[in-house]
Amino acid sequence: MASPGCAAHLPVFIGHPHHGDTRMVSLYEDIKPSRSLLGLPELSWPGVYIPCCDRFPIQENPWMLRMAEPHAPAALPYGTLEPSPAKPSQAQDPPCGMEGQVEERCLEQVQTMVVGEVLKDVDTACKLLNIASDPLDWSCVHVQKWLLWTEHLYRLPQVSTLFQELTGRDLCSMAEADFRQRSSQFGDVLYAHLDIWRSAAAMKELCPPADRKSGKFNLVSENLSAADDDSWTEVMRSYPSQPIHLWQFLRELLLKPHNYSRCIRWLNKEKGIFKIEDTAHVARLWGIRKNRPAMNYDKLSRSIRQYYKKGIIRKPDVSRRLVYQFVNPV
DNA sequence: TAGGAGGAGATAG
DNA sequence: CTATCTCCTCCTA
């Protein structure tokens, strides 16, 4: 994606780009595309560069300072991601002395967190979409799901129609120019996003989840949302088979408040009472998950109501709009 | 006008 | 056959 001497910006949304609580950074690919790490033994992305380090001098950057603390970095508001002028030389300057070592370690930590978050996001998307993490394994249907998801994630106009009848292998064999040919405006974004997925798949192969859990990537899940991650993993273990049921899907969203609290959230977790805050968003997510592009809240709510007589979901004692209750809370 | 309740036929796995 | 999906009517806030 990067032409020589003209490195490209690779936006990576950590969490969800539409939400204020999103921690978002832009990965800067320096010279080599991230795919080039496929053959690398070490588990770091060469050239991954955090442009926010440019914008905020490290000693004045609270976000950077918080890296050393045990909790999550503060959110970077959506919209601050505009590619800042690339300054590769600055990123590549060898740090000097103790200060330089601290800075380097800090950068390493950030990189590790970013990569860990990317892997987590890819994992989450895989589970929500029910597709393999490795694009090479995707069927045409999986490719369409991934495209719909990417459209949704980056708020792209409909691009999935431009990539019909393509398997994941077809997609992976395409050069950036081929992507641009199909979509002159967003081909590069799709290419970059696919690149992230391919890199993540390669990385997962090099470093299985068990290793990641106990290894360096633990930094991320420990620091950012350990409880979330555990419950999420638990949920996925509980429902390994397909197809997923709507109530399970809703519960999954509820168990990822970091990503989805803007569209669905607990009002009373103990009692299993939740509220759908953004009907269109939840319906769209469900539609993507079930490959039903025409899904809307009207239909989704009808499906929820089917659970009334099955005793899975009901309206709370005090009925309120968009508020439902799991009959058997977790 | 959006959301809620529920009937009923269609559809996918 | 089950679990929705889809379309529908009627009701309510």
PDB file of all heavy atoms in Angstrom, chain A residues 292 297 302 305 308 315 321-322 324, chain B residues 2-9 11-12:
ATOM      1  N   ARG A 292     -28.157 -10.736   6.801  1.00  0.00           N
ATOM      2  CA  ARG A 292     -29.481 -10.258   6.417  1.00  0.00           C
ATOM      3  C   ARG A 292     -29.423  -8.739   6.266  1.00  0.00           C
ATOM      4  O   ARG A 292     -29.703  -7.995   7.225  1.00  0.00           O
ATOM      5  CB  ARG A 292     -30.499 -10.616   7.509  1.00  0.00           C
ATOM      6  CG  ARG A 292     -30.820 -12.072   7.599  1.00  0.00           C
ATOM      7  CD  ARG A 292     -31.863 -12.440   6.587  1.00  0.00           C
ATOM      8  NE  ARG A 292     -32.087 -13.877   6.536  1.00  0.00           N
ATOM      9  CZ  ARG A 292     -33.030 -14.438   5.801  1.00  0.00           C
ATOM     10  NH1 ARG A 292     -33.844 -13.687   5.091  1.00  0.00           N
ATOM     11  NH2 ARG A 292     -33.165 -15.732   5.778  1.00  0.00           N
ATOM     12  N   TYR A 297     -34.940  -2.781  13.024  1.00  0.00           N
ATOM     13  CA  TYR A 297     -35.350  -2.993  14.406  1.00  0.00           C
ATOM     14  C   TYR A 297     -36.752  -3.595  14.492  1.00  0.00           C
ATOM     15  O   TYR A 297     -37.047  -4.353  15.405  1.00  0.00           O
ATOM     16  CB  TYR A 297     -35.299  -1.688  15.210  1.00  0.00           C
ATOM     17  CG  TYR A 297     -35.714  -1.916  16.639  1.00  0.00           C
ATOM     18  CD1 TYR A 297     -34.909  -2.663  17.491  1.00  0.00           C
ATOM     19  CD2 TYR A 297     -36.931  -1.440  17.126  1.00  0.00           C
ATOM     20  CE1 TYR A 297     -35.290  -2.926  18.792  1.00  0.00           C
ATOM     21  CE2 TYR A 297     -37.317  -1.693  18.435  1.00  0.00           C
ATOM     22  CZ  TYR A 297     -36.501  -2.440  19.257  1.00  0.00           C
ATOM     23  OH  TYR A 297     -36.884  -2.705  20.541  1.00  0.00           O
ATOM     24  N   ARG A 302     -39.383  -8.120  16.635  1.00  0.00           N
ATOM     25  CA  ARG A 302     -40.354  -9.218  16.497  1.00  0.00           C
ATOM     26  C   ARG A 302     -39.715 -10.529  16.962  1.00  0.00           C
ATOM     27  O   ARG A 302     -40.347 -11.353  17.620  1.00  0.00           O
ATOM     28  CB  ARG A 302     -40.790  -9.345  15.032  1.00  0.00           C
ATOM     29  CG  ARG A 302     -41.818 -10.435  14.820  1.00  0.00           C
ATOM     30  CD  ARG A 302     -43.150 -10.042  15.431  1.00  0.00           C
ATOM     31  NE  ARG A 302     -44.094 -11.156  15.534  1.00  0.00           N
ATOM     32  CZ  ARG A 302     -44.205 -11.938  16.598  1.00  0.00           C
ATOM     33  NH1 ARG A 302     -43.394 -11.753  17.653  1.00  0.00           N
ATOM     34  NH2 ARG A 302     -45.090 -12.897  16.647  1.00  0.00           N
ATOM     35  N   ARG A 305     -39.570 -10.609  20.609  1.00  0.00           N
ATOM     36  CA  ARG A 305     -40.895 -10.917  21.203  1.00  0.00           C
ATOM     37  C   ARG A 305     -41.226 -12.401  21.131  1.00  0.00           C
ATOM     38  O   ARG A 305     -41.999 -12.907  21.942  1.00  0.00           O
ATOM     39  CB  ARG A 305     -41.967 -10.069  20.527  1.00  0.00           C
ATOM     40  CG  ARG A 305     -41.886  -8.596  20.879  1.00  0.00           C
ATOM     41  CD  ARG A 305     -43.173  -7.869  20.535  1.00  0.00           C
ATOM     42  NE  ARG A 305     -43.444  -7.879  19.106  1.00  0.00           N
ATOM     43  CZ  ARG A 305     -42.954  -6.984  18.224  1.00  0.00           C
ATOM     44  NH1 ARG A 305     -42.141  -6.024  18.651  1.00  0.00           N
ATOM     45  NH2 ARG A 305     -43.255  -7.059  16.949  1.00  0.00           N
ATOM     46  N   TYR A 308     -40.659 -14.199  24.273  1.00  0.00           N
ATOM     47  CA  TYR A 308     -41.549 -14.045  25.429  1.00  0.00           C
ATOM     48  C   TYR A 308     -42.144 -15.391  25.827  1.00  0.00           C
ATOM     49  O   TYR A 308     -42.079 -15.792  26.977  1.00  0.00           O
ATOM     50  CB  TYR A 308     -42.678 -13.058  25.126  1.00  0.00           C
ATOM     51  CG  TYR A 308     -42.252 -11.612  24.942  1.00  0.00           C
ATOM     52  CD1 TYR A 308     -43.176 -10.648  24.541  1.00  0.00           C
ATOM     53  CD2 TYR A 308     -40.948 -11.191  25.158  1.00  0.00           C
ATOM     54  CE1 TYR A 308     -42.812  -9.319  24.367  1.00  0.00           C
ATOM     55  CE2 TYR A 308     -40.571  -9.870  24.981  1.00  0.00           C
ATOM     56  CZ  TYR A 308     -41.506  -8.943  24.582  1.00  0.00           C
ATOM     57  OH  TYR A 308     -41.139  -7.637  24.393  1.00  0.00           O
ATOM     58  N   LYS A 315     -40.498  -8.505  28.911  1.00  0.00           N
ATOM     59  CA  LYS A 315     -40.472  -7.083  29.263  1.00  0.00           C
ATOM     60  C   LYS A 315     -40.347  -7.016  30.782  1.00  0.00           C
ATOM     61  O   LYS A 315     -40.908  -7.847  31.488  1.00  0.00           O
ATOM     62  CB  LYS A 315     -41.764  -6.384  28.797  1.00  0.00           C
ATOM     63  CG  LYS A 315     -41.857  -6.178  27.304  1.00  0.00           C
ATOM     64  CD  LYS A 315     -40.784  -5.265  26.766  1.00  0.00           C
ATOM     65  CE  LYS A 315     -41.208  -3.819  26.700  1.00  0.00           C
ATOM     66  NZ  LYS A 315     -40.170  -2.984  25.991  1.00  0.00           N
ATOM     67  N   ARG A 321     -40.000   1.579  26.955  1.00  0.00           N
ATOM     68  CA  ARG A 321     -39.614   1.454  25.552  1.00  0.00           C
ATOM     69  C   ARG A 321     -38.170   1.001  25.417  1.00  0.00           C
ATOM     70  O   ARG A 321     -37.278   1.510  26.105  1.00  0.00           O
ATOM     71  CB  ARG A 321     -39.778   2.788  24.835  1.00  0.00           C
ATOM     72  CG  ARG A 321     -41.216   3.117  24.552  1.00  0.00           C
ATOM     73  CD  ARG A 321     -41.330   4.276  23.614  1.00  0.00           C
ATOM     74  NE  ARG A 321     -42.614   4.190  22.922  1.00  0.00           N
ATOM     75  CZ  ARG A 321     -42.858   4.689  21.728  1.00  0.00           C
ATOM     76  NH1 ARG A 321     -41.907   5.303  21.067  1.00  0.00           N
ATOM     77  NH2 ARG A 321     -44.040   4.574  21.180  1.00  0.00           N
ATOM     78  N   LEU A 322     -37.957   0.042  24.551  1.00  0.00           N
ATOM     79  CA  LEU A 322     -36.605  -0.441  24.202  1.00  0.00           C
ATOM     80  C   LEU A 322     -35.904  -1.137  25.366  1.00  0.00           C
ATOM     81  O   LEU A 322     -34.710  -1.393  25.303  1.00  0.00           O
ATOM     82  CB  LEU A 322     -35.723   0.709  23.677  1.00  0.00           C
ATOM     83  CG  LEU A 322     -36.288   1.497  22.504  1.00  0.00           C
ATOM     84  CD1 LEU A 322     -35.364   2.644  22.135  1.00  0.00           C
ATOM     85  CD2 LEU A 322     -36.503   0.597  21.304  1.00  0.00           C
ATOM     86  N   TYR A 324     -35.690  -4.470  27.745  1.00  0.00           N
ATOM     87  CA  TYR A 324     -36.059  -5.876  27.842  1.00  0.00           C
ATOM     88  C   TYR A 324     -35.304  -6.498  29.006  1.00  0.00           C
ATOM     89  O   TYR A 324     -34.399  -5.894  29.573  1.00  0.00           O
ATOM     90  CB  TYR A 324     -35.714  -6.610  26.538  1.00  0.00           C
ATOM     91  CG  TYR A 324     -36.437  -6.072  25.321  1.00  0.00           C
ATOM     92  CD1 TYR A 324     -35.867  -5.063  24.542  1.00  0.00           C
ATOM     93  CD2 TYR A 324     -37.678  -6.559  24.948  1.00  0.00           C
ATOM     94  CE1 TYR A 324     -36.524  -4.558  23.418  1.00  0.00           C
ATOM     95  CE2 TYR A 324     -38.350  -6.066  23.831  1.00  0.00           C
ATOM     96  CZ  TYR A 324     -37.758  -5.068  23.065  1.00  0.00           C
ATOM     97  OH  TYR A 324     -38.410  -4.578  21.975  1.00  0.00           O
TER      98      TYR A 324
ATOM     99  P    DA B   2     -40.792   7.440  12.755  1.00  0.00           P
ATOM    100  OP1  DA B   2     -39.615   7.992  12.076  1.00  0.00           O
ATOM    101  OP2  DA B   2     -41.687   6.524  12.033  1.00  0.00           O
ATOM    102  O5'  DA B   2     -40.310   6.720  14.088  1.00  0.00           O
ATOM    103  C5'  DA B   2     -39.949   7.509  15.213  1.00  0.00           C
ATOM    104  C4'  DA B   2     -40.022   6.656  16.457  1.00  0.00           C
ATOM    105  O4'  DA B   2     -41.407   6.478  16.844  1.00  0.00           O
ATOM    106  C3'  DA B   2     -39.439   5.250  16.291  1.00  0.00           C
ATOM    107  O3'  DA B   2     -38.711   4.941  17.466  1.00  0.00           O
ATOM    108  C2'  DA B   2     -40.657   4.361  16.104  1.00  0.00           C
ATOM    109  C1'  DA B   2     -41.721   5.096  16.903  1.00  0.00           C
ATOM    110  N9   DA B   2     -43.085   4.948  16.400  1.00  0.00           N
ATOM    111  C8   DA B   2     -43.501   4.953  15.099  1.00  0.00           C
ATOM    112  N7   DA B   2     -44.799   4.808  14.954  1.00  0.00           N
ATOM    113  C5   DA B   2     -45.267   4.699  16.255  1.00  0.00           C
ATOM    114  C6   DA B   2     -46.560   4.528  16.783  1.00  0.00           C
ATOM    115  N6   DA B   2     -47.659   4.428  16.028  1.00  0.00           N
ATOM    116  N1   DA B   2     -46.682   4.458  18.125  1.00  0.00           N
ATOM    117  C2   DA B   2     -45.586   4.552  18.878  1.00  0.00           C
ATOM    118  N3   DA B   2     -44.316   4.718  18.498  1.00  0.00           N
ATOM    119  C4   DA B   2     -44.221   4.782  17.153  1.00  0.00           C
ATOM    120  P    DG B   3     -37.892   3.601  17.581  1.00  0.00           P
ATOM    121  OP1  DG B   3     -36.692   3.913  18.369  1.00  0.00           O
ATOM    122  OP2  DG B   3     -37.783   2.950  16.261  1.00  0.00           O
ATOM    123  O5'  DG B   3     -38.848   2.711  18.483  1.00  0.00           O
ATOM    124  C5'  DG B   3     -39.233   3.208  19.750  1.00  0.00           C
ATOM    125  C4'  DG B   3     -40.372   2.390  20.298  1.00  0.00           C
ATOM    126  O4'  DG B   3     -41.535   2.573  19.468  1.00  0.00           O
ATOM    127  C3'  DG B   3     -40.108   0.883  20.356  1.00  0.00           C
ATOM    128  O3'  DG B   3     -40.341   0.459  21.681  1.00  0.00           O
ATOM    129  C2'  DG B   3     -41.134   0.297  19.384  1.00  0.00           C
ATOM    130  C1'  DG B   3     -42.236   1.342  19.433  1.00  0.00           C
ATOM    131  N9   DG B   3     -43.147   1.370  18.295  1.00  0.00           N
ATOM    132  C8   DG B   3     -42.813   1.547  16.979  1.00  0.00           C
ATOM    133  N7   DG B   3     -43.847   1.533  16.186  1.00  0.00           N
ATOM    134  C5   DG B   3     -44.926   1.335  17.025  1.00  0.00           C
ATOM    135  C6   DG B   3     -46.313   1.230  16.748  1.00  0.00           C
ATOM    136  O6   DG B   3     -46.896   1.276  15.658  1.00  0.00           O
ATOM    137  N1   DG B   3     -47.078   1.024  17.909  1.00  0.00           N
ATOM    138  C2   DG B   3     -46.538   0.948  19.183  1.00  0.00           C
ATOM    139  N2   DG B   3     -47.410   0.744  20.163  1.00  0.00           N
ATOM    140  N3   DG B   3     -45.259   1.043  19.449  1.00  0.00           N
ATOM    141  C4   DG B   3     -44.515   1.235  18.339  1.00  0.00           C
ATOM    142  P    DG B   4     -40.089  -1.037  22.108  1.00  0.00           P
ATOM    143  OP1  DG B   4     -39.582  -1.017  23.498  1.00  0.00           O
ATOM    144  OP2  DG B   4     -39.348  -1.756  21.056  1.00  0.00           O
ATOM    145  O5'  DG B   4     -41.583  -1.603  22.112  1.00  0.00           O
ATOM    146  C5'  DG B   4     -42.511  -1.079  23.047  1.00  0.00           C
ATOM    147  C4'  DG B   4     -43.765  -1.914  22.997  1.00  0.00           C
ATOM    148  O4'  DG B   4     -44.499  -1.579  21.792  1.00  0.00           O
ATOM    149  C3'  DG B   4     -43.516  -3.416  22.962  1.00  0.00           C
ATOM    150  O3'  DG B   4     -44.368  -4.044  23.895  1.00  0.00           O
ATOM    151  C2'  DG B   4     -43.850  -3.818  21.533  1.00  0.00           C
ATOM    152  C1'  DG B   4     -44.899  -2.781  21.158  1.00  0.00           C
ATOM    153  N9   DG B   4     -45.016  -2.492  19.735  1.00  0.00           N
ATOM    154  C8   DG B   4     -44.009  -2.141  18.875  1.00  0.00           C
ATOM    155  N7   DG B   4     -44.427  -1.938  17.646  1.00  0.00           N
ATOM    156  C5   DG B   4     -45.791  -2.175  17.712  1.00  0.00           C
ATOM    157  C6   DG B   4     -46.790  -2.111  16.705  1.00  0.00           C
ATOM    158  O6   DG B   4     -46.652  -1.826  15.509  1.00  0.00           O
ATOM    159  N1   DG B   4     -48.057  -2.425  17.197  1.00  0.00           N
ATOM    160  C2   DG B   4     -48.330  -2.755  18.509  1.00  0.00           C
ATOM    161  N2   DG B   4     -49.583  -3.029  18.795  1.00  0.00           N
ATOM    162  N3   DG B   4     -47.404  -2.822  19.463  1.00  0.00           N
ATOM    163  C4   DG B   4     -46.167  -2.519  18.992  1.00  0.00           C
ATOM    164  P    DA B   5     -44.187  -5.552  24.231  1.00  0.00           P
ATOM    165  OP1  DA B   5     -44.407  -5.689  25.686  1.00  0.00           O
ATOM    166  OP2  DA B   5     -42.946  -6.042  23.612  1.00  0.00           O
ATOM    167  O5'  DA B   5     -45.418  -6.219  23.475  1.00  0.00           O
ATOM    168  C5'  DA B   5     -46.729  -5.844  23.854  1.00  0.00           C
ATOM    169  C4'  DA B   5     -47.722  -6.615  23.011  1.00  0.00           C
ATOM    170  O4'  DA B   5     -47.757  -6.014  21.700  1.00  0.00           O
ATOM    171  C3'  DA B   5     -47.368  -8.091  22.818  1.00  0.00           C
ATOM    172  O3'  DA B   5     -48.454  -8.888  23.223  1.00  0.00           O
ATOM    173  C2'  DA B   5     -47.076  -8.214  21.324  1.00  0.00           C
ATOM    174  C1'  DA B   5     -47.810  -7.027  20.724  1.00  0.00           C
ATOM    175  N9   DA B   5     -47.182  -6.484  19.522  1.00  0.00           N
ATOM    176  C8   DA B   5     -45.880  -6.101  19.377  1.00  0.00           C
ATOM    177  N7   DA B   5     -45.588  -5.654  18.182  1.00  0.00           N
ATOM    178  C5   DA B   5     -46.788  -5.746  17.484  1.00  0.00           C
ATOM    179  C6   DA B   5     -47.138  -5.428  16.161  1.00  0.00           C
ATOM    180  N6   DA B   5     -46.297  -4.930  15.262  1.00  0.00           N
ATOM    181  N1   DA B   5     -48.424  -5.636  15.795  1.00  0.00           N
ATOM    182  C2   DA B   5     -49.281  -6.140  16.684  1.00  0.00           C
ATOM    183  N3   DA B   5     -49.059  -6.476  17.969  1.00  0.00           N
ATOM    184  C4   DA B   5     -47.782  -6.250  18.306  1.00  0.00           C
ATOM    185  P    DG B   6     -48.280 -10.434  23.407  1.00  0.00           P
ATOM    186  OP1  DG B   6     -49.259 -10.870  24.422  1.00  0.00           O
ATOM    187  OP2  DG B   6     -46.857 -10.746  23.560  1.00  0.00           O
ATOM    188  O5'  DG B   6     -48.766 -10.995  21.990  1.00  0.00           O
ATOM    189  C5'  DG B   6     -50.034 -10.622  21.505  1.00  0.00           C
ATOM    190  C4'  DG B   6     -50.150 -10.968  20.049  1.00  0.00           C
ATOM    191  O4'  DG B   6     -49.342 -10.050  19.266  1.00  0.00           O
ATOM    192  C3'  DG B   6     -49.659 -12.378  19.678  1.00  0.00           C
ATOM    193  O3'  DG B   6     -50.631 -12.981  18.868  1.00  0.00           O
ATOM    194  C2'  DG B   6     -48.388 -12.094  18.865  1.00  0.00           C
ATOM    195  C1'  DG B   6     -48.783 -10.786  18.212  1.00  0.00           C
ATOM    196  N9   DG B   6     -47.704 -10.037  17.599  1.00  0.00           N
ATOM    197  C8   DG B   6     -46.445  -9.794  18.115  1.00  0.00           C
ATOM    198  N7   DG B   6     -45.678  -9.107  17.302  1.00  0.00           N
ATOM    199  C5   DG B   6     -46.480  -8.882  16.190  1.00  0.00           C
ATOM    200  C6   DG B   6     -46.202  -8.201  14.983  1.00  0.00           C
ATOM    201  O6   DG B   6     -45.155  -7.642  14.641  1.00  0.00           O
ATOM    202  N1   DG B   6     -47.321  -8.214  14.117  1.00  0.00           N
ATOM    203  C2   DG B   6     -48.523  -8.804  14.400  1.00  0.00           C
ATOM    204  N2   DG B   6     -49.454  -8.716  13.453  1.00  0.00           N
ATOM    205  N3   DG B   6     -48.789  -9.445  15.521  1.00  0.00           N
ATOM    206  C4   DG B   6     -47.735  -9.452  16.360  1.00  0.00           C
ATOM    207  P    DG B   7     -50.742 -14.532  18.743  1.00  0.00           P
ATOM    208  OP1  DG B   7     -51.721 -14.997  19.748  1.00  0.00           O
ATOM    209  OP2  DG B   7     -49.391 -15.125  18.693  1.00  0.00           O
ATOM    210  O5'  DG B   7     -51.404 -14.663  17.297  1.00  0.00           O
ATOM    211  C5'  DG B   7     -52.401 -13.723  16.920  1.00  0.00           C
ATOM    212  C4'  DG B   7     -52.529 -13.701  15.408  1.00  0.00           C
ATOM    213  O4'  DG B   7     -51.533 -12.789  14.854  1.00  0.00           O
ATOM    214  C3'  DG B   7     -52.298 -15.056  14.736  1.00  0.00           C
ATOM    215  O3'  DG B   7     -53.249 -15.220  13.693  1.00  0.00           O
ATOM    216  C2'  DG B   7     -50.873 -14.948  14.200  1.00  0.00           C
ATOM    217  C1'  DG B   7     -50.735 -13.466  13.887  1.00  0.00           C
ATOM    218  N9   DG B   7     -49.394 -12.920  13.999  1.00  0.00           N
ATOM    219  C8   DG B   7     -48.585 -12.938  15.115  1.00  0.00           C
ATOM    220  N7   DG B   7     -47.423 -12.358  14.927  1.00  0.00           N
ATOM    221  C5   DG B   7     -47.465 -11.933  13.610  1.00  0.00           C
ATOM    222  C6   DG B   7     -46.493 -11.234  12.835  1.00  0.00           C
ATOM    223  O6   DG B   7     -45.371 -10.861  13.183  1.00  0.00           O
ATOM    224  N1   DG B   7     -46.945 -11.011  11.528  1.00  0.00           N
ATOM    225  C2   DG B   7     -48.171 -11.377  11.043  1.00  0.00           C
ATOM    226  N2   DG B   7     -48.419 -11.082   9.769  1.00  0.00           N
ATOM    227  N3   DG B   7     -49.081 -12.030  11.752  1.00  0.00           N
ATOM    228  C4   DG B   7     -48.673 -12.270  13.022  1.00  0.00           C
ATOM    229  P    DA B   8     -53.457 -16.647  13.042  1.00  0.00           P
ATOM    230  OP1  DA B   8     -54.849 -16.684  12.547  1.00  0.00           O
ATOM    231  OP2  DA B   8     -52.951 -17.682  13.964  1.00  0.00           O
ATOM    232  O5'  DA B   8     -52.482 -16.597  11.783  1.00  0.00           O
ATOM    233  C5'  DA B   8     -52.629 -15.549  10.841  1.00  0.00           C
ATOM    234  C4'  DA B   8     -51.559 -15.700   9.778  1.00  0.00           C
ATOM    235  O4'  DA B   8     -50.350 -15.036  10.214  1.00  0.00           O
ATOM    236  C3'  DA B   8     -51.168 -17.168   9.497  1.00  0.00           C
ATOM    237  O3'  DA B   8     -51.070 -17.351   8.108  1.00  0.00           O
ATOM    238  C2'  DA B   8     -49.804 -17.295  10.161  1.00  0.00           C
ATOM    239  C1'  DA B   8     -49.260 -15.880   9.957  1.00  0.00           C
ATOM    240  N9   DA B   8     -48.181 -15.509  10.856  1.00  0.00           N
ATOM    241  C8   DA B   8     -48.019 -15.827  12.184  1.00  0.00           C
ATOM    242  N7   DA B   8     -46.938 -15.335  12.735  1.00  0.00           N
ATOM    243  C5   DA B   8     -46.332 -14.646  11.701  1.00  0.00           C
ATOM    244  C6   DA B   8     -45.147 -13.896  11.621  1.00  0.00           C
ATOM    245  N6   DA B   8     -44.313 -13.719  12.654  1.00  0.00           N
ATOM    246  N1   DA B   8     -44.831 -13.333  10.437  1.00  0.00           N
ATOM    247  C2   DA B   8     -45.647 -13.514   9.401  1.00  0.00           C
ATOM    248  N3   DA B   8     -46.803 -14.190   9.349  1.00  0.00           N
ATOM    249  C4   DA B   8     -47.087 -14.741  10.544  1.00  0.00           C
ATOM    250  P    DG B   9     -51.178 -18.809   7.500  1.00  0.00           P
ATOM    251  OP1  DG B   9     -52.539 -18.972   6.930  1.00  0.00           O
ATOM    252  OP2  DG B   9     -50.671 -19.773   8.491  1.00  0.00           O
ATOM    253  O5'  DG B   9     -50.146 -18.726   6.292  1.00  0.00           O
ATOM    254  C5'  DG B   9     -50.187 -17.599   5.413  1.00  0.00           C
ATOM    255  C4'  DG B   9     -48.787 -17.327   4.893  1.00  0.00           C
ATOM    256  O4'  DG B   9     -47.972 -16.816   5.978  1.00  0.00           O
ATOM    257  C3'  DG B   9     -48.063 -18.566   4.351  1.00  0.00           C
ATOM    258  O3'  DG B   9     -47.474 -18.224   3.099  1.00  0.00           O
ATOM    259  C2'  DG B   9     -47.014 -18.869   5.412  1.00  0.00           C
ATOM    260  C1'  DG B   9     -46.723 -17.477   5.969  1.00  0.00           C
ATOM    261  N9   DG B   9     -46.196 -17.459   7.321  1.00  0.00           N
ATOM    262  C8   DG B   9     -46.746 -18.033   8.445  1.00  0.00           C
ATOM    263  N7   DG B   9     -46.034 -17.843   9.516  1.00  0.00           N
ATOM    264  C5   DG B   9     -44.953 -17.098   9.093  1.00  0.00           C
ATOM    265  C6   DG B   9     -43.846 -16.584   9.807  1.00  0.00           C
ATOM    266  O6   DG B   9     -43.601 -16.708  11.009  1.00  0.00           O
ATOM    267  N1   DG B   9     -42.977 -15.876   8.982  1.00  0.00           N
ATOM    268  C2   DG B   9     -43.154 -15.684   7.634  1.00  0.00           C
ATOM    269  N2   DG B   9     -42.206 -14.978   6.999  1.00  0.00           N
ATOM    270  N3   DG B   9     -44.182 -16.152   6.947  1.00  0.00           N
ATOM    271  C4   DG B   9     -45.037 -16.841   7.739  1.00  0.00           C
ATOM    272  P    DT B  11     -40.307 -18.313   0.324  1.00  0.00           P
ATOM    273  OP1  DT B  11     -39.829 -17.423  -0.767  1.00  0.00           O
ATOM    274  OP2  DT B  11     -40.887 -19.645   0.030  1.00  0.00           O
ATOM    275  O5'  DT B  11     -39.125 -18.519   1.354  1.00  0.00           O
ATOM    276  C5'  DT B  11     -38.593 -17.386   2.035  1.00  0.00           C
ATOM    277  C4'  DT B  11     -37.451 -17.824   2.931  1.00  0.00           C
ATOM    278  O4'  DT B  11     -37.975 -18.306   4.198  1.00  0.00           O
ATOM    279  C3'  DT B  11     -36.604 -18.960   2.364  1.00  0.00           C
ATOM    280  O3'  DT B  11     -35.246 -18.621   2.551  1.00  0.00           O
ATOM    281  C2'  DT B  11     -36.974 -20.171   3.227  1.00  0.00           C
ATOM    282  C1'  DT B  11     -37.276 -19.485   4.549  1.00  0.00           C
ATOM    283  N1   DT B  11     -38.145 -20.219   5.502  1.00  0.00           N
ATOM    284  C2   DT B  11     -37.780 -20.241   6.830  1.00  0.00           C
ATOM    285  O2   DT B  11     -36.774 -19.691   7.255  1.00  0.00           O
ATOM    286  N3   DT B  11     -38.646 -20.928   7.644  1.00  0.00           N
ATOM    287  C4   DT B  11     -39.804 -21.582   7.269  1.00  0.00           C
ATOM    288  O4   DT B  11     -40.498 -22.161   8.080  1.00  0.00           O
ATOM    289  C5   DT B  11     -40.125 -21.524   5.854  1.00  0.00           C
ATOM    290  C7   DT B  11     -41.346 -22.197   5.339  1.00  0.00           C
ATOM    291  C6   DT B  11     -39.283 -20.848   5.049  1.00  0.00           C
ATOM    292  P    DA B  12     -34.125 -19.242   1.601  1.00  0.00           P
ATOM    293  OP1  DA B  12     -33.637 -18.179   0.706  1.00  0.00           O
ATOM    294  OP2  DA B  12     -34.607 -20.526   1.046  1.00  0.00           O
ATOM    295  O5'  DA B  12     -33.002 -19.546   2.681  1.00  0.00           O
ATOM    296  C5'  DA B  12     -32.779 -18.607   3.728  1.00  0.00           C
ATOM    297  C4'  DA B  12     -32.056 -19.300   4.865  1.00  0.00           C
ATOM    298  O4'  DA B  12     -33.009 -19.964   5.734  1.00  0.00           O
ATOM    299  C3'  DA B  12     -31.066 -20.371   4.421  1.00  0.00           C
ATOM    300  O3'  DA B  12     -29.917 -20.280   5.248  1.00  0.00           O
ATOM    301  C2'  DA B  12     -31.816 -21.685   4.649  1.00  0.00           C
ATOM    302  C1'  DA B  12     -32.685 -21.333   5.849  1.00  0.00           C
ATOM    303  N9   DA B  12     -33.957 -22.050   5.935  1.00  0.00           N
ATOM    304  C8   DA B  12     -34.794 -22.388   4.916  1.00  0.00           C
ATOM    305  N7   DA B  12     -35.890 -23.011   5.311  1.00  0.00           N
ATOM    306  C5   DA B  12     -35.754 -23.078   6.693  1.00  0.00           C
ATOM    307  C6   DA B  12     -36.569 -23.594   7.701  1.00  0.00           C
ATOM    308  N6   DA B  12     -37.745 -24.193   7.462  1.00  0.00           N
ATOM    309  N1   DA B  12     -36.140 -23.490   8.972  1.00  0.00           N
ATOM    310  C2   DA B  12     -34.959 -22.893   9.211  1.00  0.00           C
ATOM    311  N3   DA B  12     -34.101 -22.359   8.342  1.00  0.00           N
ATOM    312  C4   DA B  12     -34.567 -22.484   7.087  1.00  0.00           C
TER     313       DA B  12
END
